[in-house]
Amino acid sequence: MSNRQLTFSIFRFNPNLPGDKPRMQEYKLEEQKGMSLFVALTKIREEIDPTLMFDFVCRAAICGSCAMMINGRPSLACKTLTKDLPSQITLMPLPVFKLIGDLSVDTGTWFRDLQVRTESWVHTSKKFDPKALEERMDNELAVQIYEPERCIECGCCVASCVTANIREDFLGATGINRVARFMIDPRDERSDADYFEVVGNEDGAFGCVGLMACDDNCPIEVPLQTQLAFVRRKMASAGLKLESGGLRKSG
Amino acid sequence: MSAKHTHVTDVLIVGAGLAGERAAVEAAAAGLNVVILSLIPPRRSHSTAAQGGMQASLGNCAMGKGDSPDVHFGDTVKGSDWGNDQEVARMFVETVPIAVRQMAHWGVPWNRVKAGKYKHPNGMELEDTKDREGLITARDFGGTAKWRTCYTSDGTGHTLQYTMDTVVVKMGITVHDRMEAITVIHDGENCLGVVARCMRTGELNVYLAKSTVIATGGYGRLYGASTNAIICEGSGMSICQDTGVVPLGNMEAVQFHPTGMVPVWILMTEGARGDGGYLLDKNLYRFMPDYEPKKKELASRDVVSRRMVQHMRKGLGVDSEYGPHLWLDVRHLGRKHVWSNLREIANIAMNFNGIDPAKDLVPVRPTQHYSMGGVRTDKNGYGYGLKGLFALGEAACWDLHGFNRLGGNSLAETITAGMIVGEQIARYTLGATQNFNMKLVDDAVKKDEERIKNLVSGQNGKENIYELKKAMEETLMEHVGIFRTGPSLEQGVAKLQELYRRSLKIGLRSSGKGANPEMAAALRMPGMLRLALTISYGALQRTESRGSHAREDYPKRDDTNWLKRTLAYWKEGADLPALDYEPIVCNELPPGDRGYGESSGQAAAAGKK
């Protein structure tokens, strides 16, 4: 049996080249056994079109660099095998993020901004004592913190989110998940009122309209639906307490 | 034409992986201005791919009882085959417990000790004690006397890098991602900074700093089969070597990890064997105990890799269209363990091979994994040859690992060197003055502009960058692999010299405009070939076997003639490195038997069966 002939239709546009216009360009490749989109795109660049821009780093679904729209759905290109796709493959850059060129988008700036806005670090008044033993923690809790911590910031949840696509400042499931990670971490001394300021609004937990495409499209299966529900519940009750003046803010 | 932007800072860190970020934090905490350059956003660095863990002698878990920095020291020196710097190893083992605890303070969710009796998946009955409950636990890794590898499930590198980056963000440290350093600016004595190419626009930028720090990781991608991320092309090492005055240390010391998955060469963590996984041959026979009765699958990586190749040479490998391989078997650990503690490798096997390791065998073969060599520094991280230049992490030859690195010691090195060298960087920089020799800067920029212009015009030639790269990868695989011989190394060197000459005649097929990927690759290629030649030529000259450097024509370690470190310089216009050597000082532990591997009499006899 001869190998399939694959036709790639790929979005092309380099905003840094004066006069360049967005267009779709076609490339044909013969399918190989075990071919991933990493292998296919590298082959196109090295053998057909050396100008084609895309991002791969780990090529093992660990680093989150290579998310793109693959036949209309956001996913990691490195772990997408061509055998699971029809012979006509359409590749587009992720929406929401700023385009660098072709399939490459600027997730780095977006996510750094997110970390700053959500103050995604452990807030503690304690000073590290190099002579002391580490503070004890229940192993189950450590495992629980690791679950949301696993997010690789690929942007698939953001690309698939209706709210993120229409509201520029929406934190997206990844942002809310990140906040959830610190909420359950006892080393972080922030109160519910502190978190309320970060996610208790339309750009945070209350901006989600519940379509859950984020959960469907997370390539590493972080339980985003559970995390969203957890933060929403916590923020709703914090909001009520704040309104009744019953919630004291921490210093 | 001149550089688009000129940035001035106190400390310039090239590379935003764990080593670079930890050093940045140390320098910023001293009140210095710090700028980090990175090819990619920091959280995508190759550090995140380290699955297994980080060694620190906390001694909290049952099988870690009695551990101490001294025991860790002994393992590290033996692992290195007495090729490392023992002063560095001593500082390292004393500091690493603090480093692990500080990472816990910053937020790493280390797995913790659970008190009580339990049966380890490998069948051992163990009991963790109440007094240690909730403290950081550890798993078993190769070449260690105690269970010492601290971990967070299957994503230790990920949680370390993410946590480290939260500190960088919190401190407001500037990161310029998609910015590639392509030239070190220097006057032969002082380092002034770098010329960098913006990977968003293609424009050249100048960064001037009192201290320039190389933390760019390894060169795995010089080899055709490597576990490394595709950005690991040794660029930081190569731009330092290009100065002509900064030597690279021990570049012939290349680690092959026993278990890269065939045929995509993605890493199957050592944790799989640490947790009780076996290696099987084509008859589904567990062969490692025959060669290594004591450590079995958990001897040092260099030893296990050689035993695997030895076994395949006997015709006992599994034939495949990608050549012979062996099997990694974790089925007996149980589905729950495989899909929780080893989830990352389970996912990788499933995604890239359609294999469920809970019920299927995983095809594996030793694969290039780690660069022990790098920019040679002193024990404080000061680069040889230029004032104001530092290096750390995999990019450096600080020389913690000598000729073989232990699993779990690289993550540990990144953070620990970040603390130790970071403090030195801060101290040096606080007393340093900025050197604004704009003539030097202009000359450096002009030289890079010239390179770019020639690549576009093709005036030096029309050699194809990707063809050269492929040929280099194949040459290293064929001639400078796990087992080496003089004649084959000579052939390799000759082939690489030819490729190097051709690389000076690369011409682009595209316009090279903007953030053009062909341009980025073409600018790196001659430097990569210089690294490849440095590895091969160093291996050819070293007529002994030590750690990962295994010469079949010189199978013994030779402490009389070779207890020394290779220093490789590249002089302008040369087509081979100039080699020099410096003595290795064993100030604590005199050279001896490793207790496993070919030099151990018992194991050698068993291997002959």
Side-chain angles (χ1 to χ4, degrees):
Chain A
M1 208 177 80
S2 64
N3 291 336
R4 279 199 303 174
Q5 179 87 358
L6 302 176
T7 304
F8 290 85
S9 179
I10 300 179
F11 176 84
R12 301 300 311 272
F13 176 48
N14 185 341
N16 283 302
L17 286 189
D20 200 31
K21 289 202 172 62
R23 65 198 184 279
M24 298 302 288
Q25 191 166 340
E26 281 204 350
Y27 302 95
K28 291 196 190 301
L29 273 190
E30 189 185 311
E31 188 171 35
Q32 293 166 344
K33 190 172 169 246
M35 189 182 237
S36 65
L37 288 184
F38 163 63
V39 172
L41 284 168
T42 304
K43 218 170 155 58
I44 291 173
R45 180 193 280 173
E46 294 187 354
E47 292 171 17
I48 307 174
D49 186 343
T51 65
L52 184 62
M53 292 163 71
F54 49 79
D55 296 319
F56 289 96
V57 177
C58 76
R59 57 79 173 94
I62 292 167
C63 77
S65 298
C66 64
M68 57 183 71
M69 302 300 283
I70 302 164
N71 283 347
R73 279 182 91 101
S75 192
L76 297 179
C78 71
K79 72 162 203 172
T80 302
L81 303 180
T82 54
K83 74 172 171 61
D84 298 325
L85 298 172
S87 61
Q88 178 76 36
I89 299 166
T90 302
L91 302 178
M92 304 276 283
L94 286 190
V96 182
F97 302 97
K98 187 181 168 193
L99 183 74
I100 289 178
D102 303 338
L103 299 173
S104 172
V105 295
D106 189 355
T107 49
T109 305
W110 195 95
F111 275 99
R112 169 107 181 195
D113 177 60
L114 179 79
Q115 311 312 335
V116 172
R117 284 168 63 207
T118 55
E119 299 191 12
S120 286
W121 54 82
V122 168
H123 289 54
T124 177
S125 53
K126 290 184 189 137
K127 243 183 95 96
F128 175 67
D129 176 0
K131 291 198 189 78
L133 281 185
E134 63 273 23
E135 278 187 40
R136 291 175 196 250
M137 180 184 275
D138 195 62
N139 190 58
E140 295 308 314
L141 178 60
V143 171
Q144 221 184 320
I145 294 169
Y146 177 59
E147 199 54 25
E149 175 82 10
R150 288 196 308 120
C151 168
I152 56 174
E153 303 191 345
C154 62
C156 285
C157 62
V158 178
S160 55
C161 171
V162 174
T163 309
N165 271 280
I166 52 179
R167 194 198 294 272
E168 200 180 336
D169 291 327
F170 183 54
L171 297 175
T174 179
I176 294 163
N177 173 68
R178 187 61 61 189
V179 172
R181 177 246 174 275
F182 290 98
M183 275 180 174
I184 59 170
D185 192 331
R187 291 168 293 198
D188 196 312
E189 292 165 359
R190 277 179 286 182
S191 67
D192 282 353
D194 295 328
Y195 286 119
F196 191 83
E197 278 184 25
V198 177
V199 285
N201 53 48
E202 295 275 283
D203 288 333
F206 303 127
C208 167
V209 295
L211 297 178
M212 289 302 143
C214 54
D215 196 84
D216 293 342
N217 288 305
C218 176
I220 59 159
E221 293 164 354
V222 174
L224 292 170
Q225 187 166 5
T226 317
Q227 301 294 346
L228 280 168
F230 166 71
V231 173
R232 247 172 120 102
R233 234 181 7 253
K234 219 163 156 62
M235 288 302 95
S237 91
L240 287 173
K241 281 189 202 154
L242 269 180
E243 215 158 74
S244 61
L247 195 72
R248 291 244 329 265
K249 292 194 65 175
S250 71
Chain B
M1 221 168 94
S2 62
K4 186 76 182 173
H5 299 287
T6 299
H7 308 263
V8 179
T9 182
D10 293 327
V11 178
L12 175 69
I13 307 226
V14 186
L18 275 170
E21 284 208 329
R22 184 63 188 82
V25 165
E26 202 65 25
L32 294 162
N33 278 319
V34 180
V35 174
I36 307 179
L37 307 187
S38 177
L39 299 177
I40 49 171
R43 294 180 184 202
R44 313 220 185 282
S45 301
H46 188 50
S47 299
T48 63
Q51 302 158 6
M54 165 167 176
Q55 280 203 42
S57 58
L58 305 181
N60 292 326
C61 66
M63 294 297 287
K65 285 275 155 71
D67 202 3
S68 69
D70 287 341
V71 183
H72 190 183
F73 176 84
D75 285 343
T76 302
V77 174
K78 276 182 214 165
S80 80
D81 217 353
W82 280 269
N84 69 349
D85 182 322
Q86 296 192 9
E87 269 190 85
V88 165
R90 176 51 68 185
M91 283 196 295
F92 163 78
V93 296
E94 300 289 345
T95 310
V96 72
I98 302 169
V100 165
R101 292 182 178 125
Q102 187 171 42
M103 292 311 298
H105 174 78
W106 278 329
V108 170
W110 295 112
N111 280 60
R112 304 294 178 131
V113 173
K114 288 193 283 191
K117 288 189 181 161
Y118 69 102
K119 194 171 174 185
H120 191 268
N122 69 9
M124 277 159 103
E125 303 273 355
L126 299 170
E127 180 171 11
D128 275 321
T129 51
K130 194 78 189 160
D131 62 317
R132 299 294 173 143
E133 186 158 45
L135 296 175
I136 297 168
T137 192
R139 58 165 52 133
D140 198 9
F141 253 40
T144 64
K146 302 283 176 185
W147 290 18
R148 187 187 298 127
T149 305
C150 309
Y151 64 97
T152 52
S153 298
D154 57 348
T156 315
H158 172 93
T159 59
L160 281 169
Q161 176 85 55
Y162 271 60
T163 300
M164 203 66 252
D165 194 53
T166 66
V167 182
V168 165
V169 173
K170 175 183 161 190
M171 295 178 87
I173 296 172
T174 304
V175 178
H176 290 177
D177 69 16
R178 294 181 189 263
M179 188 64 81
E180 176 172 8
I182 59 170
T183 297
V184 170
I185 308 170
H186 70 102
D187 61 7
E189 287 173 13
N190 305 288
C191 178
L192 278 67
V194 303
V195 180
R197 178 174 175 271
C198 175
M199 298 167 87
R200 289 175 160 82
T201 63
E203 288 158 350
L204 296 184
N205 288 248
V206 167
Y207 289 84
L208 297 176
K210 294 173 187 165
S211 300
T212 301
V213 183
I214 303 297
T216 47
Y219 56 65
R221 283 288 164 165
L222 300 181
Y223 281 80
S226 170
T227 62
N228 286 193
I230 62 165
I231 54 166
C232 299
E233 299 187 314
S235 57
M237 298 180 195
S238 124
I239 60 173
C240 287
Q241 193 183 31
D242 288 352
T243 61
V245 293
V246 177
L248 303 182
N250 281 350
M251 289 294 278
E252 63 270 32
V254 183
Q255 179 167 85
F256 286 76
H257 195 288
T259 54
M261 186 172 72
V262 181
V264 289
W265 314 117
I266 300 174
L267 175 68
M268 298 281 111
T269 174
E270 188 152 323
R273 281 170 293 131
D275 288 6
Y278 302 146
L279 292 169
L280 307 181
D281 65 16
K282 72 172 183 188
N283 302 318
L284 303 189
Y285 175 71
R286 187 183 173 200
F287 58 91
M288 277 307 293
D290 290 351
Y291 296 100
E292 299 296 335
K294 262 208 221 140
K295 300 294 289 184
K296 305 183 177 75
E297 279 85 357
L298 286 173
S300 276
R301 287 176 178 173
D302 59 321
V303 173
V304 179
S305 290
R306 279 197 294 278
R307 297 307 198 187
M308 291 169 74
V309 172
Q310 232 176 313
H311 202 66
M312 287 189 284
R313 281 178 174 181
K314 291 179 186 167
L316 292 165
V318 184
D319 287 323
S320 81
E321 59 190 296
Y322 307 101
H325 65 76
L326 294 159
W327 298 116
L328 174 66
D329 183 8
V330 294
R331 296 172 301 179
H332 53 288
L333 304 184
R335 175 163 296 276
K336 181 160 178 267
H337 187 86
V338 169
W339 282 95
S340 56
N341 288 43
L342 299 171
R343 176 166 53 179
E344 198 156 284
I345 68 157
N347 272 323
I348 288 167
M350 188 53 100
N351 289 333
F352 297 95
N353 247 344
I355 289 169
D356 175 359
K359 66 178 177 66
D360 304 320
L361 298 167
V362 183
V364 293
R365 187 159 75 209
T367 304
Q368 194 287 341
H369 183 60
Y370 189 82
S371 326
M372 272 76 74
V375 178
R376 178 67 184 135
T377 71
D378 69 10
K379 64 179 179 182
N380 294 319
Y382 284 68
Y384 280 24
L386 287 178
K387 224 174 137 209
L389 178 73
F390 295 81
L392 74 161
E394 193 175 350
C397 180
W398 189 30
D399 218 358
L400 174 61
H401 310 300
F403 278 75
N404 174 64
R405 171 179 71 76
L406 294 184
N409 260 357
S410 65
L411 277 183
E413 181 191 16
T414 60
I415 307 280
T416 310
M419 293 170 75
I420 295 170
V421 176
E423 194 187 323
Q424 294 290 336
I425 293 166
R427 185 177 302 172
Y428 169 84
T429 312
L430 287 168
T433 46
Q434 198 98 37
N435 183 338
F436 291 106
N437 184 338
M438 289 319 281
K439 165 108 180 34
L440 267 181
V441 174
D442 284 343
D443 288 350
V445 173
K446 272 199 197 101
K447 215 168 155 186
D448 280 327
E449 282 172 348
E450 191 73 17
R451 283 166 74 197
I452 288 169
K453 208 179 81 196
N454 290 341
L455 286 169
V456 173
S457 71
Q459 82 166 44
N460 293 337
K462 283 303 269 178
E463 289 285 354
N464 180 324
I465 148 78
Y466 297 114
E467 281 173 22
L468 292 177
K469 185 154 181 280
K470 204 151 278 171
M472 172 190 70
E473 293 170 359
E474 285 166 6
T475 307
L476 282 177
M477 290 302 291
E478 187 182 340
H479 298 287
V480 204
I482 295 175
F483 284 108
R484 302 164 176 184
T485 66
S488 176
L489 286 167
E490 271 173 26
Q491 281 175 31
V493 168
K495 282 188 197 174
L496 289 167
Q497 279 181 303
E498 170 62 19
L499 291 173
Y500 177 55
R501 283 189 283 267
R502 286 171 61 191
S503 78
L504 303 176
K505 297 177 187 161
I506 293 173
L508 300 191
R509 284 169 299 155
S510 61
S511 72
K513 282 195 181 126
N516 180 293
E518 190 187 17
M519 175 64 81
L523 285 168
R524 286 177 211 132
M525 197 63 228
M528 287 169 73
L529 275 159
R530 286 193 282 269
L531 295 181
L533 273 163
T534 306
I535 295 165
S536 315
Y537 192 60
L540 174 63
Q541 297 302 317
R542 186 174 282 273
T543 48
E544 66 155 352
S545 290
R546 186 182 295 270
S548 66
H549 174 68
R551 285 283 298 259
E552 289 185 282
D553 41 357
Y554 297 92
K556 293 252 178 288
R557 199 176 77 202
D558 176 0
D559 292 326
T560 314
N561 297 303
W562 285 103
L563 195 58
K564 53 191 185 185
R565 188 176 292 114
T566 309
L567 299 177
Y569 296 84
W570 200 284
K571 302 294 177 194
E572 200 173 344
D575 63 358
L576 271 183
L579 301 189
D580 194 2
Y581 295 91
E582 63 179 10
I584 291 169
V585 182
C586 297
N587 65 324
E588 283 198 53
L589 201 60
D593 180 33
R594 298 168 92 189
Y596 51 77
E598 299 81 345
S599 58
S600 164
Q602 190 194 6
K608 285 197 189 101
K609 276 206 293 203

